[in-house]
Every structure is written in C-alpha cells, then in structure tokens.
Amino acid sequence: MSRCEECEYDSVLPTWTNDTKSDCCQWENIKCNRTSRRLTGLSLYTSYYLEISLLNLSLLHPFEEVRSLDLSNSRLNGLVDDVEGYKSLRRLRNLQILNFSSNEFNNSIFPFLNAATSLTTLSLRRNNMYGPIPLKELKNLTNLELLDLSGNRIDGSMPVREFPYLKKLKALDLSSNGIYSSMEWQGLKNLTNLEVLSLGYNYFDGPIPIEVFCEMKNLQELDLRGINFVGQLPLCFGNLNKLRFLDLSSNQLTGNIPPSFSSLESLEYLSLSDNSFEGFFSLNPLTNLTKLKVFIFSSKDDMVQVKIESTWQPLFQLSVLVLRLCSLEKIPNFLMYQKNLHVVDLSGNRISGIIPTWLLENNPELEVLQLKNNSFTIFQMPTSVHNLQVLDFSENNIGGLFPDNFGRVLPNLVHMNGSNNGFQGNFPSSMGEMYNISFLDLSYNNLSGELPQSFVSSCFSLSILQLSHNKFSGHFLPRQTNFTSLIVLRINNNLFTGKIGVGLLTLVDLCILDMSNNFLEGELPPLLLVFEYLNFLDLSGNLLSGALPSHVSLDNVLFLHNNNFTGPIPDTFLGSIQILDLRNNKLSGNIPQFVDTQDISFLLLRGNSLTGYIPSTLCEFSKMRLLDLSDNKLNGFIPSCFNNLSFGLARKEEITNYYVAVALESFYLGFYKSTFVVENFRLDYSNYFEIDVKFATKQRYDSYIGAFQFSEGTLNSMYGLDLSSNELSGVIPAELGDLFKLRALNLSHNFLSSHIPDSFSKLQDIESLDLSYNMLQGSIPHQLTNLTSLAIFNVSYNNLSGIIPQGKQFNTFDENSYLGNPLLCGPPTDTSCETKKNSEENANGGEEDDKEVAIDMLVFYWSTAGTYVTALIGILVLMCVDCSWRRAWLRLVDAFIASAKSKLA
C-alpha cells in the first residue's frame, strides 16, 4: 500500500486526512520504506494532547502492513470496542513491535494483545497492571522475543511455569513492580533462550535461589539490583561466560569478589554499589576482564576499605569508574594507565595531597570528575584546554588563591562545585569564559573583592549561582547583567554594600534569592516583590530602611527580619505568602486587618513597636503554624477565638506542603545502553532548593529548623504561639487548651491575671510553656503532670500559691521555674508545705491580736476627741458671760502675751 486510498476513519493528527490523493508517508509520525513506499512504522508517542482515553483500533485499518506501532505516553486506558479491537489487531499481520508503555491499561488488555500473533516486541511498561499476570492470555504470542512489564503493580506469585508458551522469549523485564510474594524460581530454567532478565527493585519473599540464575547459560544481561539479596557473591556466577551486564547494587551483599569472576570474559558492566561489604576488598579478580567498561562500587556506611596495590595493572580500559566511600587514601595508580575514561567518581574517601593534572591530560574525553568530601589540599590546573563538563571538588581542604586561569582552561564546564574549601583571593575574571556554565557553587570559602564584569555579562547559561559565606564586597550587580537564565541566586553572608542594584531587577526568572546578612541599605524596590516566579526572598540581616511596599506577589517565603524598616504594615502585604518574617525592625502602628490571606502559615512580627489590640481577624488564619507577636507594645485581651487557629489541627489533606517549585533540568549523561534502560550519570539539583527557617523559643529549644523540600519535613511539625513581652491583660482564655498540637506557648512578661486554665492539660504535644512575669493567682493545676512532652516549664514571678505538683515531667523542673511565688511550697523549692501551714496558722493568730489593738486605739481616739470638744465648748460659754471668772481669764491671757513680748525684745 503506497497511498491511503478509499480509507474512511477519523482524523487523529492534523496532517492525517481523508483525501485519497494524500501521501500517507508524508503524514506526521508515519514511517515508510524508502524504496517500496510501504508503511513500516506508526508513532503516536506522547500523544496525550489528543485527549484520547479509549483506543479505537479500527483507525489502524489503513495501516495493515505496519510493522511498528508506538502509542506510548498517551494516557490510554482501554479499547473503544472489545470485539472490533481484537479483529483489528489480527489484521495487523506484519506488526512486530508494539509499544503501549506509560499509559493506563490494566489486565483487561491481555486477551486482545493475544491476537497480535506476529509480535516480537511488546512493551507494557508503566501501566496499571496489577496482581498476578495472566500470562496464559498471551499464549498465542509464540514469536515474542521481548516482553517489558516493568513499572507496574504486579504482585502475587509470578506464574513462571506459564512462560514456556513464549518459547522464543529472549528478554524479560519485571523490574520496579514491588513484588512481595515468592516467585516460581525453578520455572525460569525453562526459559532456555533467555538472554536478558531484569528483576530489580522488587521485594521477593523468602530466600532467592541463586543457582537458578547460574543455570541460565545464555544470559547476557542480569539486573538484580534492590531485591534484598543477602549473602556473599555467588561463585557460580563465574560460569555465566556470556554475561555482559551484571547489576547487583542496593542489596546486602558481603564478603569479596570471588576468584571465579575472572572467567567473565564478556563482562562490560559490573555494579556492586550500596551493599554491606566490610573490611578489606580486593579488585584482583577483575584483572583479566579485557572488555570491562563500567565498574561501580560504593559502600553504605564507609565500613569497607578497597585495597589496590600500587603495581596492579588490569587489562581493561574503563569508561566509567566509581569508587565512592571506599576508604581510599590515595588515587589508585592504575588510573595512570587509563586513557578512555568518561566518568570518574572518587567521592567520600580519605584521599589527600594534590589533585593530579594527569587525570585530565591522560583522558581527553573525560566529562565528569567527582572528588567531593576528601582531604585534597592542592588543585593543579592542566596546562592545556580540556573539555570537562562536570567538576566537583567540594568539601576538601584546598586553600590558596583560586586559579586565575580556571575558566580559560575549563571553558566547557556545565557544573562546577568548589564549595566548602579554603580558597582565597579574588573571583577570577576568566570565569566569564565559561559560556556553558549552568551551576556554579563557590560558597563557604574566603574569596573576596568584587565580581568581575566579564563574569556577570558573559555567563548567560547560568541557572544556579551560590557565593554565600565568603568576603565578597562592593555593590552587587549595579549595572545590567546577562544572567538571563538565573533561577537560584545565593550571595548571603558576604560584605556587599550599597543599594539593591538595578542589574538584580532584570533577573525576572528568579525563583530563589538570598541576599541576607550583608550591608545592603536603602529602600526595598517594590519591583523585586512582584517577580512572577519568585518563591523565596531573604533580605534579612541588612541595613534596609523605609516603608514596606504595599503589594507582594510572592507565593511562599519572605524574610525581611533584622533590618530598619519603619512605618505601618500594609494590610495588603501578605498576599499569598505562606511565611512572613518581619522580626526586629522598627515597624509601628496596629497589626493590620490583613486581606486575602488564605495561605499564611508562619507570621513572625517579634521585636517591633506595634501597638493596639490583637485583631480578631488573625483567628481566620486556618493554616497557621507559628504566630510570633512578642516584644511589642500590644495591649488588651488575648482573643479567645485563637482556638480557631489550626496549629496542626487541619485534616491531613489540608496541610500545606512547603516547597519551592523550580523546573530545572538535571544534568544527564548516558554512558551505557542495556536492552531495557540507558545507565546514566545524573545530577539532581533538588537539594539546592532547600530553605532553612528558624524560630526562637527558650533554652534548648533555641531553634527549630526545617527544610523546604519536595516532601514534608521537620517544618510541618512546628506549631508555636508567642505573645510574650507585651502589655496584655485579663485572663488566659481557656480555649487555648484546645490547641492540642501546640508545641511552644509563651505568654510571659505581660499583665495577665486570674489562674492557669485547667484546659492546658489537653496540650499533649506541648514542649515549652512559659507563663512567667505575670499576675497569675491560685494553684498550679495538678493535671499538667500529664503533659509528658513538656521539657520547659516556667511560672516564675507570679502570685501563685499552694503545693507544686510532682510526678512525670514535673520531677525534672528545678526551683528556677517557680521563683517569685512566695506562697508556693514543696519540691523543688526549700519551702516545706508543713512549715508553710504553721506559719499561716501563726499568721492567723497575730491577725486576731492586731484586730484587738486596732479596737483599743479606736476607743482612745474617740475619747480624746470628745474631751477636746467639751473643753472648747466650756471656754466659749465663759467668754459669753460677764463675771469675775471671765475677767480673771482675760487678765491671765494679757499677762502671758506681755511676758512673751518682753522675752522677744
């Protein structure tokens, strides 16, 4: 068939048409034989944009001579018509390759696949196959040579005894299914033609009879990674002399490489990484394996020491060598004779001294060199330009000046990590010649000076730049830059000064920006807070000042603490922020009635000059985890509606996942292609999107640290409320006891009165409770002894009385928790409750005597007053009557006055 004549079908792709004059060999995703113009291949790979869920196989009637059909990644989950589907497949008599991988088919597809009797290759990888696989449904596929069922949900006993229906089967992939049940291992021996077997990443129940594999003499590829294989490497594997690929990684293997492995003359790929090898480990059995190209070895816990004699010269020429966590103390000498290396990983060893130049000079095609976490002290640059793409020598002891010709000698670097060393001096201007650099990390060194203009104007491929914890200075990006691809920028903990440069404001694709702990000053540019993709912004620990912008479009995290911002907080400032930290600024005014604040989970306003009441609108923050309003001038009552705050009470599906969503391609380098997969070197950049959040509480709870990752971490278990050091008054709302997921509660240094609520006994997860420096009265509720997580408890300097509860956690608190409460008694104070009782009784007796004295004094005062009034009245009466007594009284008064005058004269 050369043209699609008299074909009636629905259009599937835009270039497919019912025009009988149309040449279907020119249609999209159609392949034809060049000479006969007969259709040979039809591909609808990644056709999910068609929005097809049911496959209509009748569409394939025009393509009866098709030999390959690719419908992978199409979200298909069934057939439109089961009967017609079966007939349609039978019509495809020349179909040899059928790829249904990465769809949503389940076991119901098997009976219809049985109709494609001409199939030699069938891939059902990554579908929804589940339970035992009904291989009897494929018994007519007698020509099948390759069957891929990997990445499904196959469980139950694998019916290997039914594989004999597939007599020509050469390659079988059952990996990554999570098979928990046992397998009919002996049935594998019936697959006499099997050359490729992949069982990796399953969880087989019971011991694995290794001898079964040893009897499969035609095996060329064997993948047993991650199957809980326990024991020593089998001696009989040495009999598989056709074996080219052997992966035994991620198991629990012990012992050493047996001498019989020297017979694996065809072996090209051997991986023994992530096992339980201990002690000395020899590579001598590999000496004569002339075809070995890839050797990968690493330990789980640095308990193995690979012994390589200085005179050892194997016959192979490797392209990939991984010796990670092997306790190596020097670079193996045999590497001096390797000339075809593409990937070398010697990370996590104890190698010291000089990183030799011959490693690069002898291997001009070396693309990846991993030397991190060793003890190297000197990095020697090669004398000529090299094409190295990935270089990681982080976490060593390399000091001295950073090589000035670095970028000139290694211009093709895509990934370079030299962090956590001791480099000094300026940032080399030659780094601007690395036009392909995507990842650059020189953090945690002692580099200084300004960034050269050649670097900021030339590295347009840079996606991640980390220069934190150095001594860089000057203005940062004061002019236009060419960092047009920059997604992550971290320059925190340096000595940068001046205003936020205009060059920074052109980096519109930024997702993470950390400029904290520098000496930046001036106002915060409003434009910076409305970058479309910015999820994380940390400008804390600078000298920024002025008012806060009124609008923020960040989705996740904003850290502005430890600056000099002034004025009120705009009521539109939160937006869709999840974490806002404004601690230790100079902000004033009331806490605003925030609008559009559905996502806020961490609100930290500590150490400002905020006044007024705590607004009840804060109670509407249903996702709240940490609320810190301490060290302000807030007054009024604590809102009783705070029990509406979630503090971990949300249903599981409502809990926010904290992460910074960044679409950044990982570095990928394929180095060995097996039948089913391409073994590759890959750099995962997800770790570079981690974020630290600290929340100060008390004593050993000085900081809670969590990481923003693609999965929930420590941060999702942090729940705290801090209202300390304000002017709050009134009672402590009993409703706070309903926040039973709360871990830290601090109400200290206020004017709170009344008593400690009994409902606090419901705070079962509470670890730190501080009610000190208030005016609380009454006793300490004995029910608080049930708080088994309580580690910090402080009620000092109140007016509490009665016996201090004992038992459980309360036995761990010392007298400092109760200072300034003279009416408290019992351990751990020195005041005995019995002595206290006697003192109270004596105090009561004294009070009665005092009352009697008070009554006697009252009689005295009344009698004195009465006498005075009576005498005064008598004198007045005498003065009003003309008699000898009156005249005598007046003469006496005159004589007294005259005598007084004579004395004064």
Side-chain angles (χ1 to χ4, degrees), residues 287-357:
T287 303
N288 297 321
L289 303 185
T290 57
K291 295 185 179 180
L292 191 64
K293 303 296 181 186
V294 178
F295 179 62
I296 302 175
F297 183 87
S298 65
S299 66
K300 293 180 179 178
D301 47 18
D302 198 19
M303 295 295 291
V304 67
Q305 184 172 358
V306 174
K307 297 293 291 184
I308 303 177
E309 293 82 2
S310 59
T311 57
W312 188 56
Q313 293 189 27
L315 301 180
F316 52 69
Q317 283 290 318
L318 296 175
S319 62
V320 176
L321 173 64
V322 176
L323 291 173
R324 193 186 310 118
L325 292 169
C326 296
S327 301
L328 294 174
E329 296 180 353
K330 62 180 182 178
I331 294 179
N333 282 351
F334 82 90
L335 286 181
M336 296 184 67
Y337 307 99
Q338 298 293 308
K339 308 296 183 182
N340 298 320
L341 287 168
H342 288 250
V343 177
V344 174
D345 187 350
L346 300 176
S347 302
N349 286 287
R350 306 168 187 170
I351 308 174
S352 59
I354 302 173
I355 298 176
T357 58

Side-chain angles (χ1 to χ4, degrees), residues 686-700:
S686 61
N687 290 337
Y688 295 96
F689 304 122
E690 293 182 355
I691 300 167
D692 288 341
V693 179
K694 297 182 179 180
F695 174 66
T697 54
K698 295 291 183 180
Q699 297 180 29
R700 73 184 184 92

